[in-house]
């Protein structure tokens, strides 16, 4: 019985870590640093070109506040496969993510932050094929997030289900400009060893084709990007 209580407590702890991975981070001061621009390729429907860069602020924040900066670093090898590395920094976050843009959509393999690595097995499908992104579209899956911390000394695993649903398409005006966006709800449910749901979380993103996320799951909105007006985007 004590062992069962410990397993349940561990499941709740891991569920909280997963929710923290998907939820907002505490703001902090961010200093400007040297940036190298390398955006030369035309932007695709799901942008993943090296050098693509986005800046975000929470809704109602001052435009002079420190931003969260997301930048595509470019292809890298992870587990004998080529994935594209993304770096997110600012407002308390310093994170590297690894994605692939395939014919079947956009897939997230891993996120590394604060000495902790979250690996999704199988990879999390964040977006469907381009031709299937429309109002009413839905895609889902099951995965196990494997947590590694303290140089690999701590290893844990947590099973979860997820579902994405495109609930609307609308025009929005943000500090970065006016965009036609798909409004996408994202719901995750985590489970303990006994198969019982320990946590459920629903978040929402706004995605603009050839631009990327203009509102993130954590409620931050786009204030600037070098993909706007870049070759192949059709944006201004």
């Amino acid at each position: 019985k004590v062992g069962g209580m410990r397993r349940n407590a561990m499941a709740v702890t891991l569920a909280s870590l997963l929710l923290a991975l998907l939820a907002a981070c505490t703001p902090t001061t961010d200093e400007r640093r040297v940036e190298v621009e390398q955006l030369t390729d035309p932007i695709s429907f799901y942008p993943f070109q090296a050098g693509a860069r986005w800046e975000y602020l929470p809704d109602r924040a001052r435009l002079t506040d420190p931003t969260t900066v997301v930048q595509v670093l470019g292809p890298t090898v992870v587990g004998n496969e080529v994935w594209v590395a993304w770096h997110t920094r600012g407002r308390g976050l310093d994170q590297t993510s690894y994605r692939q843009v395939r014919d079947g959509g956009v897939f997230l393999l891993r996120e590394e932050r604060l000495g902790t690595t979250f690996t999704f097995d199988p990879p999390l499908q964040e977006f469907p094929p381009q031709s299937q992104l429309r109002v009413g579209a839905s895609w889902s899956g099951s995965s196990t997030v494997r947590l590694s911390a303290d140089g690999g000394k701590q290893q844990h695993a947590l099973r979860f289900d997820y579902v994405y649903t495109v609930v609307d398409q609308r025009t929005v005006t943000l500090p970065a400009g006016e965009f036609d966006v798909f409004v996408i709800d994202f719901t995750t449910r985590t489970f303990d060893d006994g198969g019982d749901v320990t946590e459920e979380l629903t978040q929402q993103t706004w995605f603009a084709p050839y631009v990327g996320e203009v509102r993130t799951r954590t409620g931050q909105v786009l204030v600037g990007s070098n993909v706007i007006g870049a070759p192949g985007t059709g944006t201004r």
Side-chain angles (χ1 to χ4, degrees), residues 36-174:
V36 178
E37 293 289 344
Q38 53 181 339
L39 185 61
T40 57
D41 296 331
I43 298 299
S44 54
F45 185 88
Y46 294 125
F48 68 99
Q49 285 68 31
R53 189 173 186 272
W54 300 263
E55 292 192 52
Y56 298 93
L57 279 172
D59 190 20
R60 312 297 296 176
R62 295 184 296 270
L63 289 174
T64 55
D65 286 350
T67 59
T68 298
V69 178
V70 179
Q71 185 167 7
V72 181
L73 302 180
T76 187
V77 176
V78 181
N80 297 321
E81 286 190 306
V82 176
W83 294 77
V84 177
W86 300 56
H87 185 235
T88 303
R89 186 177 185 277
R91 302 189 69 83
L93 187 62
D94 190 346
Q95 172 179 296
T96 303
S97 307
Y98 300 90
R99 294 180 170 86
Q100 284 182 348
V101 179
R102 314 171 184 167
D103 291 340
V106 181
F107 294 84
L108 173 66
L109 171 69
R110 180 178 297 172
E111 293 193 337
E112 300 170 347
R113 66 160 72 169
L114 301 177
T116 302
T117 298
F118 299 84
T119 302
F120 298 98
D121 182 18
L124 179 74
Q125 184 179 4
E126 296 183 300
F127 291 95
Q130 173 181 335
S131 61
Q132 296 179 19
L133 188 63
R134 62 177 70 91
V135 175
S138 182
W139 62 100
S140 60
S142 298
S143 185
T144 298
V145 57
R146 304 189 186 281
L147 181 153
S148 177
D150 193 18
K153 295 178 182 178
Q154 297 184 46
Q155 300 279 344
H156 304 290
L158 179 69
R159 185 171 63 87
F160 69 100
D161 290 343
Y162 64 91
V163 59
Y164 288 85
T165 305
V166 184
V167 297
D168 195 12
Q169 185 174 9
R170 66 179 74 138
T171 300
V172 298
T173 301
L174 304 173

Side-chain angles (χ1 to χ4, degrees), residues 15-33:
S16 299
L17 285 170
L18 177 60
L19 294 178
L21 178 68
L22 300 171
C25 296
T26 304
T28 188
T29 302
D30 184 28
E31 296 180 357
R32 296 287 182 177
R33 296 179 182 270

Side-chain angles (χ1 to χ4, degrees), residues 15 18-24 138-139 160-167 183-190 197-206 215-219:
L18 177 60
L19 294 178
L21 178 68
L22 300 171
S138 182
W139 62 100
F160 69 100
D161 290 343
Y162 64 91
V163 59
Y164 288 85
T165 305
V166 184
V167 297
V183 179
I184 305 172
D185 279 359
F186 171 59
T187 299
T188 58
R189 295 190 308 161
T190 56
V197 176
T198 57
E199 299 282 356
E200 183 169 331
L201 175 69
T202 298
Q203 297 170 301
Q204 188 176 91
T205 61
W206 297 348
R215 182 186 185 276
T216 69
R217 288 197 305 251
T218 60

